[in-house]
Amino acid sequence: MKNLFSLFAKNQSLIYKVFLFILSTLLVIYFLPKGGQFKYNFQKGKPWQYENLYAPFSFTIKKHEDTLKKEREQIRNNAVPYFEYNNEIEASVLENFNNKLETKYVDSLYATPQNTIKKIGDRFISETYKKGVTDEIHTYDGDKLIYLKNGNEIEERSYSQLFKKENLNKKIRELVEKNNIEDAQALLYNLLSEVLDPNVKLNTKLTEASIDAEIKTINPNRGIIEKGGRIIAKGEVVEGDKYQVLNSLKAEFDSQIWSKNNYLWLLVGYSMLVSLVFLMLFLFLKNYRPYIYHNNTKVTFIFFNILLMVFLTTLVLKVHSDYVYVVPICILPLILKAFFDPRVGLFVHVLTILLLGFIVPNSFEYMFLQFIAGIVTILTVSELYKRANLFISVGQITLIYILGYFAFFVIQEGNIQTLQWENFGYFILCGLATLFAHPLIYFYEKIFGLVSDVSLLELSDTNSKLLKELSNKAPGTFHHSLNVANLAEAAANEIGANSMLVRVGALYHDIGKMQNPTMFTENQANSINSHNELDPKESAKIIIDHVIKGIEIARKHNLPDRVIDFIRTHHGTSLVYYFYSKEREEHGEANKEDFIYPGPIPFSKETAILMMADSVEAASKSLKEPSSTSIDEFVEKIINNQMAQGQFLNANITFKEIEMIKKVLKKKLNNIYHLRVEYPE
């Protein structure tokens, strides 16, 4: 049991990666569509690349969606509407009419007797309500057939047979002319317009149910392809009827292959493919980005983003497949580039698109557009902390989507008449969603403890609390740090390293000197040196301890680990040579271990640049009469000595890059000391 626990403790990082690998694979398989993959890849408008294809089994030819849509529209247009008849309205209308007539009829005003008006009105109401009265406005033609539901009986009528209240004035005039009662026309119109209530209304529920029932009877098939029948020959263009037949075969294949018998085999196939993708990611990180591979937090961060994109795409596809381009896939390489580097961003983006190829429709078109958009993202987005850069990049990504989609549509359809312009809106929405990268980066920094260029920009502010404290307590060290930052930033730009990171590292690399500022020469205001009263070992310990104290201060102020790395490595495992020599002079011998910085040595280009810039800038203060020649010589001497000590063995930096850094440092120091060529008098 003890041995098992010990084995687990030694390999917990590897065990965690295996767990992450298995969990991610299972989650992706869960998100994948529950169906097999059709073994032929074809596109509308493209030639058939395979051998002649014969039907492997008999299957029905599915109607095109446009055809089904037209049939549904035709059924809806030709559907017979149902109207509901209310028998109770007529009696109440008659009663209201007679009551109002009694009230409003005045013998002295009308020549027509009241009884005559009553009979005409009652007869009109009775005849009209038998036909049906409606006040609804419909677009039906007059000869449109309708069903009039009266209780349990349904009667066929034409729509024109219903009486519309808007025709009341015309009908009153006809009654007046027929019965010669012109004096009572206004009275009759006023009474009837007040009392007439509709007794026929459109029964929407019954009408829609009838339409739905008829739509369900539509046959989605238009024919049968018998087993062995030729579907398409090699080289034929996939279009029209051929394209529909191939889609029908694909649909039938997908429905047949995902059965209980081969369910397990399909899971095995999916597991192998998804596992290969994640295995490639682990191999890439282990071989080319070991600093990420050995950091489980960073590995988890990468896997989390891949799973997030797969989940979002799956979620959107469940709503509607047309919205698939709304998912901002390009936010993935953008964020990974902000935290790591472009190569990691592009590699992970490519692997994610390969996984999404199992899910999305028109996978070739989708993958092509996403690959191009991802490459554009990597090539265009730089210095993400500059807000304008993100907007420019998003505009370029959106333009690539639009141009790519338009090109695919023209190739497939051969015209732009049926172009779905709303898809361009989806691309614009995708671009707007990509702008969410900034708040997402902030969220990731807090959750995963990572640092991006945006945070580095904030840390580079010399008005920050920690740097102001450094400038107050150790002004000489603060000035030295500013000079080192300028030197290191220029060198980083020259070799293509992260200039913002190395600048921030330079600003904070000596914060440990705040504890005993006067023990460092740059902070000594007079010629009195505190080390003269100390033993060389004590002096060396104070000098060396500024690294440890710097790390403690940095952790107390929550500086990112990437910045603390510069504090740990800026002296590497170098020797405090002055006090080592002094110890040997005073005691005849010295233990070298007491005068060596604890390290580690620089393990990146940026930390190596800081070590060179820091040593050169500090040593330049000892030059009594700086000249171009002396500066060149001492830069060469210092950096060559560091190389001889093996300080850059883990830094992944080339000899060529070191030579380029030397040139930059020489040029900058010459500018600092304002050296000019001496002209003869």
Side-chain angles (χ1 to χ4, degrees), residues 502-513:
V502 77
R503 179 175 182 82
V504 172
L507 289 173
Y508 291 91
H509 79 284
D510 270 345
I511 56 175
K513 292 182 179 180

Side-chain angles (χ1 to χ4, degrees), residues 476-490 503 506-507 509 613-614 617-618 620-621 665 668-669 672-673:
T477 299
F478 178 72
H479 185 261
H480 160 72
S481 297
L482 286 176
N483 288 338
V484 173
N486 292 330
L487 292 173
E489 184 179 21
R503 179 175 182 82
L507 289 173
H509 79 284
D614 179 44
E617 202 284 332
S620 67
K621 298 294 191 296
L665 296 178
K668 283 288 181 181
L669 288 175
I672 289 172
Y673 291 105

Side-chain angles (χ1 to χ4, degrees), residues 18-33:
V18 172
F19 168 76
L20 186 64
F21 175 85
I22 295 172
L23 178 64
S24 301
T25 303
L26 292 176
L27 286 174
V28 171
I29 293 172
Y30 176 77
F31 293 141
L32 291 178

Side-chain angles (χ1 to χ4, degrees), residues 36 253 256-269:
F253 177 85
Q256 288 187 15
I257 195 170
W258 196 259
S259 62
K260 291 182 179 179
N261 295 330
N262 47 26
Y263 183 88
L264 182 60
W265 284 111
L266 286 169
L267 282 181
V268 170

